[in-house]
Amino acid sequence: MRARRQSDSVSPILEQILYGGSSVSMNLITITREIPEENRLFRARGLNKAILFKYPNFDEDADDYANPIADEDEDGDAASRPVETGIYIPHSVEHTEAGGLAIYLRARNSNLLLAEQFGIGEANSEAAAADLRTLTLIDSVPSLDAFLLKACFEGEKVPVDKRHWAISDAEDQQLRRLIRARIEPIVRKAIDGGGNGAQSIERFLEAIWNPELEEAGLFVSAFGIDRSEADQIFSAWKGTTFYEYQLRRIAPRARIILNWLKSRECIPVDIRMHKPYETQLLMHIEKVGKLLETTLLDIRQILADYETSFSAFMAGQPEPFRDYLRKIRSHYWLLGYCVSALTSVSHLDARCMKNNPQRKLYFEATHKLLRQFEVALDRRREQKGAF
């Protein structure tokens, strides 16, 4: 669109890794600075000087604005888990924008690269096995939200210094109460029908956080689902409820951004000085607006499906909720991507508009923000090995 300037030297994808927000980026350089080495997340020192990030990897054959929800029966890990995990290793921990290398955990050469960079390509020692286990657990969650990661590690009984999680005990307990309140009516409806008492109901509610309990398997088997899937279903159910809560927090700003993109207010104040690029800019604004609308539409569809099946179940019709549970994993991963993308867009917008309540930008700033939004909302991001 115009000549490259020094301010554009940072790759848009690297900008997303560095500034996209805590849902998509986990800066271990900063997090572990005050944590003693023996208590850090990884045994390999180099991993604690890296930045973990999430990135979308949806089906390349899908239409740009098509609904990408996959059936649970589809083959391939990418179909059911379209959000992957990467590791950014900066050349300098003091200047992370200066570039570095990236490793993608599900890439075919990831073991080789992990071995070259950190010596943990294969579980050839207790320390290596522990680090690979940690990476696998992180990759099992659609986003890097502290609440979900903390719940995942606790569920697997893997101890982690709580200073790694950017969440207070009070907020963690509040989220747990919200999730319990959302799930409890369904559990009560299912269990009360069997004539079970309050103690039995409480055990079933405990199974939300401990799928190893017998009650977890009993609950899913009542819907005709194999007991072995209880862990995945309960994790996805908790995660879906968490993302609902996250959406309520970011929805107001998302609406502001969408309305801004649809208005004349997003036209740069100095557009007359950049007339040769006006048409391209307007097309870019339209494209980003469509990406944002598609993300919001997917969220509405998933949550509407949940509400419809929930209402049917409470009215004595369990079949829709059974079908929802069977597909909940793919819904959970898509919802995780969508809410994380919105969170990232909201974070980038707040960063840009911090001292600009009128939301009036110059051409350069508008172009940069649109580029950041597009990367955050893009479902087919390039896997760059170096920045």
Short mmCIF file of all heavy atoms in Angstrom, two decimals, residues 47-72:
data_model
loop_
_atom_site.label_atom_id
_atom_site.label_comp_id
_atom_site.label_asym_id
_atom_site.label_seq_id
_atom_site.Cartn_x
_atom_site.Cartn_y
_atom_site.Cartn_z
N LEU A 47 13.21 -22.98 27.38
CA LEU A 47 11.77 -22.88 27.24
C LEU A 47 11.19 -21.79 28.13
O LEU A 47 10.17 -21.18 27.81
CB LEU A 47 11.11 -24.23 27.56
CG LEU A 47 11.00 -25.21 26.40
CD1 LEU A 47 10.54 -26.57 26.89
CD2 LEU A 47 10.06 -24.69 25.32
N ASN A 48 11.82 -21.56 29.27
CA ASN A 48 11.36 -20.50 30.17
C ASN A 48 11.78 -19.12 29.68
O ASN A 48 11.44 -18.11 30.31
CB ASN A 48 11.90 -20.74 31.58
CG ASN A 48 11.31 -21.99 32.21
OD1 ASN A 48 10.10 -22.20 32.19
ND2 ASN A 48 12.17 -22.85 32.76
N LYS A 49 12.51 -19.07 28.58
CA LYS A 49 12.88 -17.80 27.96
C LYS A 49 12.23 -17.67 26.58
O LYS A 49 12.78 -17.05 25.67
CB LYS A 49 14.40 -17.69 27.85
CG LYS A 49 15.10 -17.67 29.21
CD LYS A 49 16.61 -17.56 29.05
CE LYS A 49 17.30 -17.54 30.42
NZ LYS A 49 18.78 -17.47 30.28
N ALA A 50 11.07 -18.28 26.46
CA ALA A 50 10.33 -18.28 25.20
C ALA A 50 8.94 -17.69 25.42
O ALA A 50 8.54 -17.38 26.55
CB ALA A 50 10.22 -19.70 24.65
N ILE A 51 8.21 -17.52 24.33
CA ILE A 51 6.83 -17.04 24.37
C ILE A 51 5.96 -18.09 23.70
O ILE A 51 6.15 -18.41 22.52
CB ILE A 51 6.69 -15.68 23.66
CG1 ILE A 51 7.55 -14.62 24.36
CG2 ILE A 51 5.23 -15.24 23.64
CD1 ILE A 51 7.58 -13.29 23.64
N LEU A 52 5.02 -18.65 24.45
CA LEU A 52 4.07 -19.61 23.89
C LEU A 52 2.94 -18.83 23.21
O LEU A 52 2.54 -17.77 23.69
CB LEU A 52 3.51 -20.51 24.98
CG LEU A 52 4.53 -21.25 25.86
CD1 LEU A 52 3.80 -22.07 26.92
CD2 LEU A 52 5.43 -22.14 25.03
N PHE A 53 2.43 -19.36 22.12
CA PHE A 53 1.33 -18.66 21.45
C PHE A 53 0.38 -19.66 20.80
O PHE A 53 0.76 -20.79 20.47
CB PHE A 53 1.86 -17.66 20.42
CG PHE A 53 2.62 -18.26 19.27
CD1 PHE A 53 2.00 -18.59 18.08
CD2 PHE A 53 4.00 -18.49 19.38
CE1 PHE A 53 2.71 -19.14 17.01
CE2 PHE A 53 4.72 -19.03 18.32
CZ PHE A 53 4.08 -19.37 17.14
N LYS A 54 -0.85 -19.22 20.63
CA LYS A 54 -1.87 -20.01 19.92
C LYS A 54 -2.10 -19.39 18.56
O LYS A 54 -2.04 -18.17 18.40
CB LYS A 54 -3.18 -20.01 20.72
CG LYS A 54 -3.12 -20.77 22.05
CD LYS A 54 -3.05 -22.27 21.84
CE LYS A 54 -3.06 -23.01 23.17
NZ LYS A 54 -3.10 -24.48 22.97
N TYR A 55 -2.37 -20.23 17.58
CA TYR A 55 -2.67 -19.72 16.25
C TYR A 55 -3.67 -20.65 15.57
O TYR A 55 -3.67 -21.86 15.82
CB TYR A 55 -1.39 -19.60 15.40
CG TYR A 55 -0.77 -20.92 15.05
CD1 TYR A 55 -1.00 -21.51 13.81
CD2 TYR A 55 0.04 -21.60 15.97
CE1 TYR A 55 -0.43 -22.74 13.49
CE2 TYR A 55 0.60 -22.82 15.66
CZ TYR A 55 0.36 -23.38 14.42
OH TYR A 55 0.91 -24.60 14.11
N PRO A 56 -4.56 -20.09 14.72
CA PRO A 56 -5.58 -20.91 14.06
C PRO A 56 -5.01 -21.67 12.88
O PRO A 56 -4.12 -21.20 12.18
CB PRO A 56 -6.61 -19.88 13.60
CG PRO A 56 -5.80 -18.64 13.38
CD PRO A 56 -4.69 -18.67 14.41
N ASN A 57 -5.54 -22.85 12.65
CA ASN A 57 -5.12 -23.67 11.51
C ASN A 57 -6.34 -24.40 10.98
O ASN A 57 -6.44 -25.63 11.05
CB ASN A 57 -4.03 -24.65 11.93
CG ASN A 57 -3.42 -25.37 10.73
OD1 ASN A 57 -3.54 -24.92 9.60
ND2 ASN A 57 -2.78 -26.50 10.98
N PHE A 58 -7.30 -23.62 10.44
CA PHE A 58 -8.53 -24.19 9.94
C PHE A 58 -8.32 -24.82 8.57
O PHE A 58 -7.31 -24.58 7.91
CB PHE A 58 -9.62 -23.11 9.86
CG PHE A 58 -10.21 -22.75 11.19
CD1 PHE A 58 -9.55 -21.88 12.05
CD2 PHE A 58 -11.42 -23.29 11.60
CE1 PHE A 58 -10.08 -21.55 13.28
CE2 PHE A 58 -11.96 -22.96 12.84
CZ PHE A 58 -11.28 -22.09 13.68
N ASP A 59 -9.30 -25.57 8.12
CA ASP A 59 -9.26 -26.26 6.83
C ASP A 59 -9.04 -25.25 5.71
O ASP A 59 -9.83 -24.33 5.52
CB ASP A 59 -10.59 -27.01 6.63
CG ASP A 59 -10.62 -27.78 5.32
OD1 ASP A 59 -9.60 -27.81 4.60
OD2 ASP A 59 -11.69 -28.37 5.02
N GLU A 60 -7.98 -25.42 4.95
CA GLU A 60 -7.67 -24.49 3.86
C GLU A 60 -8.68 -24.55 2.73
O GLU A 60 -8.78 -23.62 1.93
CB GLU A 60 -6.26 -24.78 3.32
CG GLU A 60 -5.15 -24.43 4.29
CD GLU A 60 -3.78 -24.58 3.67
OE1 GLU A 60 -3.73 -24.98 2.49
OE2 GLU A 60 -2.79 -24.30 4.34
N ASP A 61 -9.44 -25.64 2.64
CA ASP A 61 -10.42 -25.77 1.56
C ASP A 61 -11.73 -25.08 1.88
O ASP A 61 -12.60 -24.95 1.02
CB ASP A 61 -10.70 -27.26 1.27
CG ASP A 61 -9.46 -27.96 0.74
OD1 ASP A 61 -8.67 -27.29 0.03
OD2 ASP A 61 -9.28 -29.15 1.04
N ALA A 62 -11.88 -24.62 3.17
CA ALA A 62 -13.13 -23.97 3.55
C ALA A 62 -13.20 -22.57 2.97
O ALA A 62 -12.20 -21.91 2.78
CB ALA A 62 -13.25 -23.92 5.07
N ASP A 63 -14.41 -22.12 2.69
CA ASP A 63 -14.61 -20.76 2.20
C ASP A 63 -14.23 -19.77 3.30
O ASP A 63 -14.38 -20.05 4.48
CB ASP A 63 -16.09 -20.58 1.83
CG ASP A 63 -16.37 -19.19 1.30
OD1 ASP A 63 -16.05 -18.93 0.12
OD2 ASP A 63 -16.88 -18.38 2.07
N ASP A 64 -13.77 -18.59 2.90
CA ASP A 64 -13.32 -17.58 3.86
C ASP A 64 -14.34 -17.30 4.93
O ASP A 64 -14.01 -17.09 6.09
CB ASP A 64 -13.00 -16.26 3.14
CG ASP A 64 -11.61 -16.29 2.53
OD1 ASP A 64 -10.78 -17.07 3.00
OD2 ASP A 64 -11.38 -15.52 1.58
N TYR A 65 -15.63 -17.27 4.55
CA TYR A 65 -16.65 -16.87 5.51
C TYR A 65 -17.62 -18.00 5.80
O TYR A 65 -18.74 -17.78 6.23
CB TYR A 65 -17.39 -15.63 4.99
CG TYR A 65 -16.44 -14.52 4.60
CD1 TYR A 65 -16.33 -14.08 3.29
CD2 TYR A 65 -15.60 -13.95 5.56
CE1 TYR A 65 -15.42 -13.08 2.96
CE2 TYR A 65 -14.70 -12.95 5.23
CZ TYR A 65 -14.62 -12.53 3.93
OH TYR A 65 -13.72 -11.53 3.59
N ALA A 66 -17.18 -19.22 5.55
CA ALA A 66 -18.05 -20.37 5.82
C ALA A 66 -17.98 -20.75 7.28
O ALA A 66 -17.02 -20.48 7.97
CB ALA A 66 -17.63 -21.57 4.95
N ASN A 67 -19.01 -21.43 7.72
CA ASN A 67 -19.04 -21.93 9.09
C ASN A 67 -18.13 -23.16 9.18
O ASN A 67 -18.39 -24.16 8.54
CB ASN A 67 -20.48 -22.31 9.46
CG ASN A 67 -20.57 -22.88 10.87
OD1 ASN A 67 -19.56 -23.00 11.56
ND2 ASN A 67 -21.76 -23.23 11.28
N PRO A 68 -17.05 -23.09 9.98
CA PRO A 68 -16.09 -24.18 9.99
C PRO A 68 -16.34 -25.25 11.05
O PRO A 68 -15.46 -26.03 11.34
CB PRO A 68 -14.78 -23.45 10.28
CG PRO A 68 -15.20 -22.34 11.19
CD PRO A 68 -16.60 -21.97 10.77
N ILE A 69 -17.52 -25.28 11.66
CA ILE A 69 -17.77 -26.28 12.69
C ILE A 69 -17.68 -27.67 12.07
O ILE A 69 -18.32 -27.98 11.08
CB ILE A 69 -19.16 -26.09 13.34
CG1 ILE A 69 -19.21 -24.76 14.10
CG2 ILE A 69 -19.47 -27.23 14.28
CD1 ILE A 69 -20.54 -24.47 14.74
N ALA A 70 -16.86 -28.51 12.67
CA ALA A 70 -16.65 -29.86 12.14
C ALA A 70 -17.43 -30.87 12.95
O ALA A 70 -17.63 -30.71 14.14
CB ALA A 70 -15.16 -30.21 12.18
N ASP A 71 -17.89 -31.92 12.29
CA ASP A 71 -18.53 -33.01 13.01
C ASP A 71 -17.48 -33.78 13.78
O ASP A 71 -16.34 -33.91 13.36
CB ASP A 71 -19.24 -33.96 12.04
CG ASP A 71 -20.49 -33.32 11.44
OD1 ASP A 71 -21.05 -32.42 12.09
OD2 ASP A 71 -20.87 -33.73 10.32
N GLU A 72 -17.90 -34.35 14.90
CA GLU A 72 -16.97 -35.12 15.71
C GLU A 72 -16.48 -36.37 15.00
O GLU A 72 -15.44 -36.92 15.34
CB GLU A 72 -17.65 -35.52 17.03
CG GLU A 72 -17.90 -34.34 17.95
CD GLU A 72 -16.62 -33.74 18.49
OE1 GLU A 72 -16.11 -34.23 19.51
OE2 GLU A 72 -16.11 -32.80 17.90
#
